[in-house]
Amino acid sequence: MNNLTIRKVAVLGAGVMGSQIAAHLVNANVETLLFELPAGATPKGDLNGNVNKALDGLKKLEPSPLASPAKVTYIQAANYEQHLEKLRECDLIIEAIAERMDWKSDLYRKVAPYVNERAIFASNTSGLSINQLAEAFPEAQRHRFCGIHFFNPPRYMHLVELIPCAVTEAPLLDQLETFLVSTLGKGVVRAKDTPNFVANRVGVFSMLAALHHAQRLGLGFDTVDALTGRYLGRPKSATFRTLDVVGLDVFTHVVETMHTNLVSDPWHSYYTLPDWYKKLIADGALGQKSKRGIYNKIGKEIHVLDVATQTYKLSAGVVDDAVKEILRERDWAKKLAELRSSAHPQAQFLWATFRDVFHYCALHLAEIAHNSRDLDMAVRWGFGWDSGPFEIWQAAGWQQIAGWIQADITAGKAMSPAALPSWVTEPDRNGVHTVQGSYSPNKKQYQPRSALTVYHRQLFPDHLLGEVKQYGETVFENEAVRMWHMGDNIAILSFNTKMHIISNEVLDGILRAVDEAEENFSALIIWQTEPPFSAGANLLQLMQGVQQAAPDEGMFDKLKQAANRVKYTVAGGGGVGAIVNAATGNVPRVEEVVAKFQQVSQRLKYAQVPTIAAVDGMVLGGGCEFSIHCTRIVASLETYIGLVEVGVGILPAGGGCKEMAQRAAADAQKFSNDGRVDVFPYLRRYFQQIAMGEVSKSAELAREMGYLRATDRIIMNRFELLHIAKEEARALNATAYRPPLAQRQIMVAGRTGIATFKASMVNMLEGGFISEHDYNIGCRVAETLCGGDVEVGSMVDEQWLLDLERKNFMELLATDKTKARVEYMLKNGKPLRN
């Protein structure tokens, strides 16, 4: 079989999933056609009204399915009456119409004559039989048919289930998996052709178990959501808020699929929904999309359905203090033991749902998945759990939990009387995940990860319990950072701090790493083993690292207690950590810390070896400043980058303002007309972004905002970050890398630019949109970006701009209102606008 290059994709169906799949394809720069039924013709004969309506809808969704609003223009509208011939040009066709076997089959018969012989045809069904769907295709085409199940929302959910029919060509699946993993950035699980496949089968049962036990124990929906969210390592939407997001009607269909097709299942009697649920659907209360479901937002208040009265009441679900203490336990063995032994209804609810999900997964593993890793990854990637069911069971003690499950089955407490399968209780079994692989009941062996070539790009794939985490060979390590390598000549620096915050010790570590890289390596990559890249600087950690003389102990204790209450990490640049010193009366040392931040940024920019920032997740404040000074940024699509220091009443002082002024000047030179250079138009966007503390909602938007340059790379799969960063380093060295020359002629907007920015802010101030202190901060951002009190068009160097950063930072730091903002942030975990 020849290799298939997927150049163009058609998506059939412009509904919620189809349009968002199309959006993610263009996010990945894949040429995409979006088909829908024809609408009434326009005067020009255009029948694409239905698709155009869907595209308009994409622009309004939050969080956005589009990496950039401009991406929507690359989706080509098409309809089944005028454009079927265009299918012949497509290498992959994804069907995403409503979950009706008859509708899908009719569509397949209609389009089959237009599908070229090398194309893959895939259904995005969430649970219908792939083999039954394949029967609607001519027999000669079935070998290129499969299921490709994206999860909603497709941009953000990592999972795609890949399901072959009986005759699907194995090499075709390999090629499609490669495309999904690297081009679209997905985590692929090969599923069997069973109802609802893997993730929905387990995830939906988990929700049904929660529904059953909540009713049995008299717990409200809001209480269940308080229990089953982040306390369990699951999304904040927990259980019933997730139902509202998914859509009550969609969930109904998935449950009905299980009820219809799993009649011999031991839990079949639970594959139904209660009358109150059916009444919501009949009333059009479908969840988020209809503005009302199990929850109902009235004004600014969230109300929740009271089943007893069939009315909504103010949501006030809380976790009992005793149960909260149990949930704070990190050891799963202790946590589950305490939940099981507690008589509190909330604890009993949690133990019962864990027990029944474990029981369900054990009994159905052989039927629905190839091995235990596939099941755990499907639930993690498809439902956002931090740990899969088998991982939790194994971490809690396999044999102990198995004994408790069996005891509850015997006592009639479990939802099903079915016995655990024999492989579960084998005497020497301590779990299902080991360094050799994950257990497959069908094969009766531990199966290693996929050997597909695409996974060679994932130097450190998503970690699974039982696997060994080993990140190369250490060069040096302390509490703040670790420098290491993988047996080649490329050094890697990772932060050891929580949320990868920047302390004084991190600054020292970066300086040491650059020195070490210049001496013994060909490049330096800053990469974190887990996101985020950096949430900026933590006030209290940096306070301890930079204070010169003992602060007032009362103030220190007050701030520390407040920060411990909110556990809030302040994202900011070099000066943020220093703020606490100001609050504690230790100002003289602050400027030295700011100067060190600037030194780090400049060392990264002018190092004798390439420096690469491999970023993912939050890249805020100082993390942003370090990144934009590196030779290259390699960013995952889900990178959220910004200079956010104004939130605590200061400005970027680690080189951020300087770098933005420098980039504006370079753009002005590049795009000047008739030799006339005006820097101000290019400076305006940087001023707005810094003054408003704007953060990009994707790496694509970060490029549009100027944080990423044209030479920086955006990748779709975060697990490929380190591989691509190393390839970038090698490419730079292949051209005999030299650092840029220090720029000594940077054109600035001067006092004219400052006056213009001030004038625009005066209007906002007088209109009540900003406060006096906001205006003060904005004026200082303007002064720094415009190069200070000089003539328009004056030339300055980098040090001039760095000095302005420090000056304005220090002057803001001395104000009472900035100190008030810092204290408020520490106490409340959110910014104060004073």
Side-chain angles (χ1 to χ4, degrees):
M1 179 178 179
N2 296 325
N3 287 334
L4 173 70
T5 300
I6 297 176
R7 297 180 177 87
K8 182 182 287 190
V9 177
V11 179
L12 309 184
V16 172
M17 283 301 292
S19 60
Q20 291 195 63
I21 291 169
H24 195 61
L25 285 161
V26 294
N27 287 342
N29 293 327
V30 177
E31 189 175 355
T32 303
L33 296 167
L34 180 59
F35 277 79
E36 189 45 273
L37 293 169
T42 66
K44 294 183 179 181
D46 182 5
L47 301 178
N48 291 327
N50 289 328
V51 177
N52 293 331
K53 183 178 179 181
L55 297 181
D56 288 338
L58 285 177
K59 302 172 189 175
K60 301 171 186 175
L61 288 177
E62 284 294 336
S64 177
L66 298 158
S68 162
K71 287 286 186 180
V72 75
T73 62
Y74 293 96
I75 300 175
Q76 302 170 47
N79 64 77
Y80 303 120
E81 184 173 318
Q82 296 175 311
H83 305 120
L84 285 178
E85 283 291 337
K86 292 186 176 183
L87 289 176
R88 300 188 194 278
E89 307 165 3
C90 297
D91 307 298
L92 171 63
I93 300 169
I94 301 172
E95 170 270 306
I97 69 169
E99 289 288 86
R100 286 271 301 267
M101 182 71 72
D102 53 341
W103 290 1
K104 289 178 186 285
S105 297
D106 288 346
L107 178 62
Y108 296 177
R109 284 187 279 269
K110 182 172 186 172
V111 303
Y114 302 93
V115 177
N116 78 68
E117 63 179 15
R118 287 177 46 80
I120 302 171
F121 194 102
S123 173
N124 182 57
T125 178
S126 59
L128 297 179
S129 170
I130 298 301
N131 281 294
Q132 192 175 343
L133 286 170
E135 291 175 5
F137 262 95
E139 189 172 349
Q141 291 177 285
R142 290 177 194 168
H143 65 291
R144 304 188 69 78
F145 180 82
C146 64
I148 179 173
H149 180 210
F150 289 83
F151 276 66
N152 190 19
R155 170 182 163 185
Y156 300 97
M157 298 308 294
H158 192 56
L159 178 65
V160 171
E161 291 173 318
L162 198 55
I163 314 101
C165 70
V167 295
T168 307
E169 292 181 352
L172 175 145
L173 291 172
D174 291 346
Q175 292 171 10
L176 188 51
E177 182 167 350
T178 297
F179 171 78
L180 291 168
V181 169
S182 206
T183 303
L184 298 190
K186 296 303 173 186
V188 171
V189 167
R190 300 277 185 106
K192 297 182 178 182
D193 187 20
T194 57
N196 293 339
F197 313 130
V198 182
N200 274 345
R201 182 75 176 270
V202 175
V204 168
F205 175 77
S206 175
M207 290 179 170
L208 291 172
L211 197 61
H212 167 73
H213 290 300
Q215 182 176 353
R216 179 176 65 85
L217 292 164
L219 300 182
F221 302 125
D222 49 351
T223 300
V224 170
D225 280 348
L227 288 165
T228 58
R230 290 309 300 159
Y231 277 120
L232 300 186
R234 300 179 190 174
K236 290 180 181 178
S237 56
T239 302
F240 296 110
R241 283 195 299 273
T242 296
L243 283 184
D244 273 356
V245 172
V246 169
L248 302 191
D249 53 337
V250 174
F251 186 74
T252 297
H253 172 80
V254 177
V255 173
E256 287 176 348
T257 297
M258 295 169 76
H259 186 266
T260 302
N261 296 291
L262 297 170
V263 292
S264 60
D265 189 294
W267 286 270
H268 180 262
S269 62
Y270 296 99
Y271 298 157
T272 58
L273 292 165
D275 291 340
W276 62 261
Y277 190 101
K278 295 173 184 176
K279 185 177 186 303
L280 284 177
I281 293 178
D283 292 343
L286 306 180
Q288 185 172 281
K289 59 189 172 186
S290 64
K291 311 298 183 186
R292 182 168 70 92
I294 293 173
Y295 287 91
N296 185 17
K297 188 174 183 181
I298 302 174
K300 293 185 177 180
E301 294 179 336
I302 303 298
H303 292 242
V304 64
L305 182 70
D306 183 338
V307 173
T309 64
Q310 290 293 297
T311 60
Y312 289 92
K313 63 180 181 179
L314 192 65
S315 177
V318 294
V319 178
D320 178 80
D321 288 341
V323 176
K324 195 179 293 182
E325 283 304 308
I326 297 174
L327 294 177
R328 284 174 175 158
E329 171 60 58
R330 293 179 177 273
D331 186 327
W332 276 107
K334 294 179 181 178
K335 182 183 294 186
L336 292 185
E338 291 180 26
L339 290 173
R340 186 173 188 266
S341 63
S342 172
H344 196 287
Q346 293 183 4
Q348 285 298 297
F349 164 83
L350 289 169
W351 162 249
T353 51
F354 273 118
R355 174 201 63 213
D356 290 324
V357 169
F358 293 159
H359 186 192
Y360 191 88
C361 291
L363 201 68
H364 287 304
L365 174 60
E367 172 198 350
I368 67 174
H370 294 290
N371 55 58
S372 52
R373 177 180 51 252
D374 286 352
L375 188 148
D376 273 350
M377 287 305 192
V379 175
R380 280 169 55 172
W381 293 341
F383 280 79
W385 293 19
D386 290 350
S387 301
F390 286 129
E391 287 184 290
I392 296 171
W393 183 348
Q394 183 169 324
W398 187 268
Q399 291 295 343
Q400 178 68 81
I401 297 298
W404 288 343
I405 295 171
Q406 192 58 58
D408 281 6
I409 294 171
T410 303
K413 296 179 180 179
M415 290 171 68
S416 167
L420 287 169
S422 59
W423 65 264
V424 170
T425 55
E426 291 169 350
D428 59 346
R429 179 168 301 286
N430 294 313
V432 291
H433 303 304
T434 69
V435 292
Q436 289 79 31
S438 295
Y439 189 70
S440 167
N442 291 323
K443 300 289 186 181
K444 294 182 170 56
Q445 65 182 26
Y446 291 88
Q447 295 186 328
R449 285 179 178 263
S450 170
L452 276 182
T453 304
V454 69
Y455 292 111
H456 298 170
R457 298 164 61 88
Q458 298 186 15
L459 304 182
F460 299 98
D462 204 356
H463 180 75
L464 193 71
L465 183 74
E467 295 176 334
V468 177
K469 271 188 179 181
Q470 188 169 354
Y471 295 102
E473 183 178 333
T474 301
V475 178
F476 73 85
E477 183 173 15
N478 53 43
E479 290 185 359
V481 301
R482 176 175 181 252
M483 185 180 186
W484 52 285
H485 65 87
M486 297 180 66
D488 52 20
N489 62 353
I490 298 175
I492 303 161
L493 185 72
S494 303
F495 298 174
N496 289 334
T497 50
K498 184 179 180 180
M499 298 287 285
H500 308 128
I501 55 177
I502 300 162
S503 65
N504 198 40
E505 291 76 18
V506 168
L507 299 179
D508 291 334
I510 297 174
L511 291 173
R512 179 179 172 185
V514 175
D515 290 343
E516 186 76 35
E518 288 179 331
E519 184 72 23
N520 297 307
F521 294 90
S522 66
L524 174 65
I525 297 171
I526 304 178
W527 174 81
Q528 316 296 5
T529 57
E530 297 287 343
F533 178 78
S534 177
N538 180 284
L539 300 181
L540 292 172
Q541 288 194 0
L542 280 179
M543 173 174 62
Q544 295 169 346
V546 300
Q547 60 184 347
Q548 181 178 33
D552 175 81
E553 293 184 2
M555 175 65 82
F556 180 92
D557 290 340
K558 177 182 176 184
L559 293 180
K560 187 171 184 179
Q561 289 167 10
N564 284 338
R565 282 199 303 273
V566 299
K567 289 183 171 59
Y568 187 84
T569 297
V570 177
V576 172
I579 293 175
V580 177
N581 290 344
T584 55
N586 185 27
V587 177
R589 189 90 164 94
V590 176
E591 194 164 1
E592 295 176 29
V593 180
V594 180
K596 188 187 288 188
F597 259 87
Q598 295 178 340
Q599 180 190 0
V600 168
S601 294
Q602 294 299 89
R603 282 290 283 134
L604 289 169
K605 184 172 184 176
Y606 294 111
Q608 293 301 307
V609 296
T611 57
I612 315 287
V615 302
D616 177 44
M618 291 187 295
V619 188
L620 304 178
C624 173
E625 289 177 295
F626 291 164
S627 300
I628 61 179
H629 282 85
C630 286
T631 314
R632 286 283 188 279
I633 295 176
V634 178
S636 75
L637 182 71
E638 301 310 327
T639 294
Y640 314 116
I641 186 168
L643 297 167
V644 296
E645 287 81 352
V646 295
V648 284
I650 53 169
L651 53 70
C657 289
K658 179 269 304 179
E659 192 66 15
M660 295 300 99
Q662 198 167 352
R663 291 187 183 186
D667 288 344
Q669 293 279 357
K670 187 187 307 181
F671 301 114
S672 64
N673 294 318
D674 303 324
R676 292 175 294 179
V677 180
D678 182 4
V679 71
F680 186 82
Y682 301 94
L683 200 60
R684 186 184 289 113
R685 67 167 177 172
Y686 295 122
F687 170 78
Q688 178 177 323
Q689 289 162 193
I690 294 172
M692 300 298 291
E694 293 180 3
V695 177
S696 73
K697 294 183 178 180
S698 71
E700 285 286 355
L701 285 173
R703 196 192 301 279
E704 292 177 17
M705 294 168 73
Y707 290 126
L708 267 60
R709 300 151 294 196
T711 53
D712 294 325
R713 308 296 180 203
I714 298 174
I715 68 166
M716 300 298 287
N717 196 319
R718 73 178 183 89
F719 296 106
E720 295 183 357
L721 260 181
L722 186 55
H723 167 77
I724 301 299
K726 294 181 85 166
E727 291 299 309
E728 281 292 310
R730 293 187 182 105
L732 287 163
N733 281 316
T735 57
Y737 176 77
R738 295 288 301 173
L741 296 172
Q743 196 170 348
R744 305 185 189 283
Q745 296 287 306
I746 304 168
M747 180 177 289
V748 294
R751 61 179 70 95
T752 302
I754 297 171
T756 306
F757 283 134
K758 283 184 176 181
S760 66
M761 288 189 292
V762 165
N763 292 333
M764 295 183 70
L765 179 63
E766 291 176 348
F769 298 107
I770 62 174
S771 68
E772 288 279 0
H773 196 50
D774 291 328
Y775 177 76
N776 184 20
I777 297 166
C779 289
R780 295 182 183 280
V781 171
E783 180 183 348
T784 305
L785 289 174
C786 293
D789 188 17
V790 297
E791 291 290 337
V792 62
S794 294
M795 297 293 183
V796 301
D797 61 14
E798 288 183 87
Q799 191 57 52
W800 175 274
L801 294 170
L802 291 171
D803 291 344
L804 276 172
E805 278 187 353
R806 286 202 316 282
K807 165 186 171 291
N808 282 295
F809 177 91
M810 296 303 298
E811 289 177 0
L812 282 170
L813 193 61
T815 65
D816 290 337
K817 289 192 174 181
T818 283
K819 294 175 186 176
R821 289 192 179 193
V822 177
E823 282 198 51
Y824 190 87
M825 180 72 80
L826 282 166
K827 292 176 182 177
N828 301 286
K830 56 185 179 182
L832 169 69
R833 289 295 178 213
N834 55 355

